[in-house]
Amino acid sequence: MDPNEDASVLKAQIYGLTFIPPDKQKIYLKGGKTITDSTDMKALDLKDGATIMLVGTPEDKQEKIDLTKKTVFAEDLTNEQKARLYNQRTGVSSLLKSRKQFRWVWCI
C-alpha cells in the first residue's frame, strides 16, 4: 500500500481479494484506530507486515482474484502461445493447409 494513496484505494484492493464491498468494510488498526475513506494514510505510518483487522460480509461467493499472478498481454506471447490461446495451428502443416485451400479456391 502506497501511503500517498487514499484509503479508498486500500479498500478497493481489499475488495479485490475478499469481495467485501468498500462501503461495508470496517478496518481496525492496533490501538482501536479505524480506517475510513477520509483517513490520511501517511499519518498512520503503517509499516510492512502491519496487522489490520477487517470486519465485513462478502458479496456472492465468487472466485477470488489472484493478485500475485503477473498480467500477460497478447503482445508478449510467442507465436506458439498465441496459437494455443486462439486454437490455431502454426508451422509447416498450417502453411500447407492454407496453400491447399488457396489452390481449391483458385480452381473455382
Side-chain angles (χ1 to χ4, degrees), residues 36-100:
T36 62
D37 289 336
S38 61
T39 302
D40 181 17
M41 298 303 286
K42 284 184 183 179
L44 294 176
D45 194 33
L46 292 174
K47 306 288 183 205
D48 284 345
T51 302
I52 64 169
M53 183 172 75
L54 172 67
V55 177
T57 303
E59 293 179 332
D60 300 333
K61 293 182 179 179
Q62 299 178 7
E63 189 174 321
K64 292 183 181 177
I65 300 169
D66 187 5
L67 297 178
T68 60
K69 290 185 178 178
K70 181 183 174 192
T71 303
V72 180
F73 297 96
E75 296 83 19
D76 299 331
L77 297 175
T78 65
N79 287 337
E80 291 79 19
Q81 290 171 324
K82 287 179 186 176
R84 268 188 266 127
L85 181 65
Y86 299 121
N87 229 0
Q88 298 173 351
R89 299 175 76 174
T90 60
V92 176
S93 62
S94 178
L95 179 63
L96 292 174
K97 182 179 178 185
S98 64
R99 294 176 97 198
K100 287 177 187 175

Side-chain angles (χ1 to χ4, degrees), residues 2 5-6 8 10 15 19 22 24 32 34 36-37 47 53 63-64 74 79 90 102 105-106:
D2 184 7
E5 295 176 339
D6 296 329
S8 59
L10 173 65
Y15 174 71
F19 289 101
K24 295 187 178 181
T34 60
T36 62
D37 289 336
K47 306 288 183 205
M53 183 172 75
E63 189 174 321
K64 292 183 181 177
N79 287 337
T90 60
F102 178 72
V105 172
W106 184 255

